[in-house]
Amino acid sequence: MFDATHALPALPGVGYKAQHFAPIMADPAPVGWLEIHAENYMGDGGRPLAQLRALAERFPLSVHGVGLSIGGPEPLDRDHLARLKHLLGWLNPASFSEHLAWSTHEGHFLNDLLPLPYTTDTLARVCAHVDEVQTVLGRRMLLENPSSYLAFAESTWSETDFLREIARRTGCGLLLDVNNVFVSATNLAYPPRDYIADFALEEVGEIHLGGHDTDADDFGAPLLIDSHGRTVADPVWALLDEVLDRAGPRPVLVEWDNDVPDWPVLAAEAARAGATLTRVAA
Amino acid sequence: MSAAAPGPGVGGGAAPALRAPRSIFGKMKDCETAFRAALLQAEAPVPRGLVDGLGRPAGRRYAVYRNNVAVALREALETGFPAVAKLIGPENFAHVAARFLRSSPPGDPRMMFYGAGFPTFLAGIAPLARLGYLPDVAQLELALRQSYHAADAPPLDPARLQGLDEATLMGARLVPAPALQLIRSDWPVLSVHRFTLVAGAPKPAAGAEDVLVTRPALDPQMHLLGPGAGRFVAALLAGAPFGDALEAAGDGFDLSATLSLLLSAGALTDLFLPRP
C-alpha cells in the first residue's frame, strides 16, 4: 500500500488541460508530472481516454478526485467509488487525492467543494469515509485542505488539528494547498504562517498552488475567492518558500482551471515552482 | 487539539453568544442541513450558525458558495449546449439553466453526462415555443457529446459483406458502433446547428432533417442523411435484420450511399449472420 512506485517526484507539475496535449507531448519542460481530475476520465472511450493513455506512458500521474463528497453526512456513492477504482486500476497513478469537503446533497452532485463544521462527530464520519476509500481502492490517499469563505460557529477543532487527527487515525496523507491556506487565512482573519506552523507537514505528499480573485464581504473586509483563473499571487509564493523550508522538497502542482492560458504561461508558473524547489534542495 | 491553534472556529476570538449553544449532533446536523438546502435557492435566507473570522454573521460569504454552485452547473450546461446558448442568448440561457439545475441537478459527479434531460426540459418552456427547433438542436448537441465519450470499437471490415448471398444478407444483423447516434427531426436541425456555430454557413431552409453522428477516429462528425436513410438506421439501431431495415427505408432510399457512409465512418462494428 505504501510502495515506492506510488509517490510523485519532488518536481513541479501542472493540472492537465486537454488543450495543452500537443505542447506537453512536444516539450514538457519544466514539468515532471501531471495531475488529472478523476471525473473527467470516467467516460467509456474517445479522446479523453486516448490522451490519458498517451500521457501515462510519458509522465508520473496524480489522480485528483472532486466528486467523492468525503466530508458529507451521506454515505459515499458506491457506484462512484467503483468507477474510481476502475480508473485507478488500469491507470495505476503515482498518487490519488481528494478533498476535505462535500459536494453531494440528497444524491445530487453540486459541482463545488463545500465546507463542513469541525467537530468530534464530523471527524468520526470523515475518518470512516477515508477508511472506506482506502480500503476499496487498496491504496493510501491524500486529503486536501479546503479554501474557506466562512466558518461554522459550532466548530470545536482547528482545521490543522482536524486534518492531523484524520491522518493519524486513517493513515492517509495530506495534500497542502498553499493558496487555500492564504485564502482561508485572509478570509477568516488569522496569520497564514501560524496555519503552516501548525500543519502536519510530515504527512504532506503533494502541494498545490493556484490563483485567487479578490472581493469584499459585507463589512468591507477582503474576501478572497479560490478561482484558479490567474497566476499565483506573490504572498502565496512566499508561503510556498516557508513550507518548503520547513518540509523539504515536495511535489508542487500549479492549478489553472478557468480562463486557461496558452501553455507557455502555465509552463512559466511551473518553472517558478521549479526554481523554488531547486533552491530548497541545494 | 491546542487552544492556540489558528483556524476556522477557533482563532479570531468568536463571541461566545454567536456560537451554537452546544455542539450536539442534532444541532450540528441542523446547520449543515440548512447550509445544503439553501444552496440551490437564491432567495433562501443565509443559514444561522455561519460566521466570519471574528464571529460575525457570514452574510454574503455564504452567497459565494451559492454562486459557485450556480455558476459551475450553468457553465457545465453551456459547455455541453453551445448552440442552444447562442440561439437564446446568455441572459435567457442563464435563466433557463437556473431553472433546470434546480429541477434536475446532476445525478452523479460525471459532468460529461449532465443535461440528458435538457432537451425535454426546453420543450416544456412556453416562452421558447416559437423556437420550435430548439429541443432538437439540444438533442443533437447531446448526441455529439455522447458520441465523443462513447466506447472505442474497431470498425467492421467491409470485406465481410462481400460475397454474401441475398438470403444471408437480408437476415444479417449489423451492429452499430457505440459512438453512432441518430437524430430524426421535423426541423432543419443540422442546418440550424451549423448556421449558429459556423461562420458563413448558409441560412437554414424549412424542412425535416435526419442527422447521423459518427466518430471515425476521435472527433464526432455530423452527416445529413438522404431520403429513407433515417428510417434505415433507426431500424438497424433497434436491432432489425438488414432486410427489415431495407423495407423500413422505403422508396427513394439510396442503399449504396448509406452503406458506404456507415462503413467509411466506422459506424458499424460487427455482422451477425442468420443461422442457416
Side-chain angles (χ1 to χ4, degrees), chain A residues 177-192:
Chain A
D177 188 315
V178 178
N179 181 60
N180 287 359
V181 172
F182 186 76
V183 165
S184 296
T186 304
N187 291 344
L188 297 173
Y190 57 82

Side-chain angles (χ1 to χ4, degrees), chain B:
Chain B
M1 62 193 216
S2 68
V10 175
L18 285 166
R19 288 181 175 275
R22 272 170 47 207
S23 195
I24 54 171
F25 189 73
K27 285 284 179 196
M28 177 197 77
K29 214 168 175 194
D30 286 349
C31 184
E32 273 196 294
T33 305
F35 190 108
R36 299 145 75 81
L39 269 178
L40 288 175
Q41 298 166 345
E43 53 297 319
V46 175
R48 292 166 62 184
L50 303 175
V51 294
D52 71 3
L54 302 176
R56 300 176 296 195
R60 72 179 296 259
R61 292 162 173 266
Y62 179 76
V64 174
Y65 292 105
R66 188 144 59 190
N67 187 56
N68 280 352
V69 169
V71 170
L73 294 178
R74 186 186 72 216
E75 285 181 351
L77 279 181
E78 251 172 39
T79 304
F81 299 97
V84 170
K86 203 168 170 199
L87 278 164
I88 65 176
E91 272 181 37
N92 287 326
F93 191 85
H95 184 70
V96 168
R99 279 179 61 181
F100 178 72
L101 65 90
R102 274 202 293 272
S103 67
S104 310
D108 76 50
R110 294 171 297 172
M111 295 308 289
M112 65 180 74
F113 297 135
Y114 183 46
F118 196 53
T120 306
F121 178 83
L122 288 174
I125 297 185
L128 294 176
R130 65 185 178 82
L131 306 178
Y133 46 79
L134 200 63
D136 285 2
V137 172
Q139 200 69 55
L140 178 58
E141 299 202 288
L142 192 62
L144 286 168
R145 184 148 50 110
Q146 286 167 345
S147 178
Y148 183 78
H149 291 289
D152 307 311
L156 173 69
D157 181 355
R160 289 180 58 194
L161 282 171
Q162 284 160 14
L164 297 178
D165 63 63
E166 192 179 332
T168 306
L169 181 62
M170 291 301 148
R173 286 173 205 273
L174 293 162
V175 180
L180 181 68
Q181 296 276 338
L182 174 68
I183 301 296
R184 305 198 61 205
S185 176
D186 292 333
W187 301 88
V189 59
L190 178 59
S191 304
V192 171
H193 185 267
R194 285 200 172 131
F195 184 69
T196 309
L197 294 182
V198 181
K203 214 170 173 177
E209 285 182 355
D210 290 341
V211 186
L212 196 68
V213 176
T214 63
R215 201 186 79 200
L218 297 175
D219 295 308
Q221 296 181 357
M222 296 178 285
H223 314 267
L224 184 61
L225 292 178
R231 289 190 295 271
F232 178 76
V233 176
L236 290 186
L237 283 166
F242 187 89
D244 292 4
L246 198 55
E247 198 173 323
D251 293 338
F253 173 56
D254 186 341
L255 174 62
S256 123
T258 304
L259 258 190
S260 159
L261 168 64
L262 290 170
L263 289 168
S264 66
L268 304 171
T269 60
D270 209 346
L271 172 72
F272 293 130
L273 298 179
R275 295 199 176 158

Side-chain angles (χ1 to χ4, degrees), chain A residues 205-228:
Chain A
E206 179 182 344
I207 290 168
H208 273 185
L209 299 171
H212 60 253
D213 292 339
T214 304
D215 201 345
D217 75 357
D218 295 322
F219 302 96
L223 184 58
L224 303 186
I225 310 294
D226 181 30
S227 58
H228 294 184

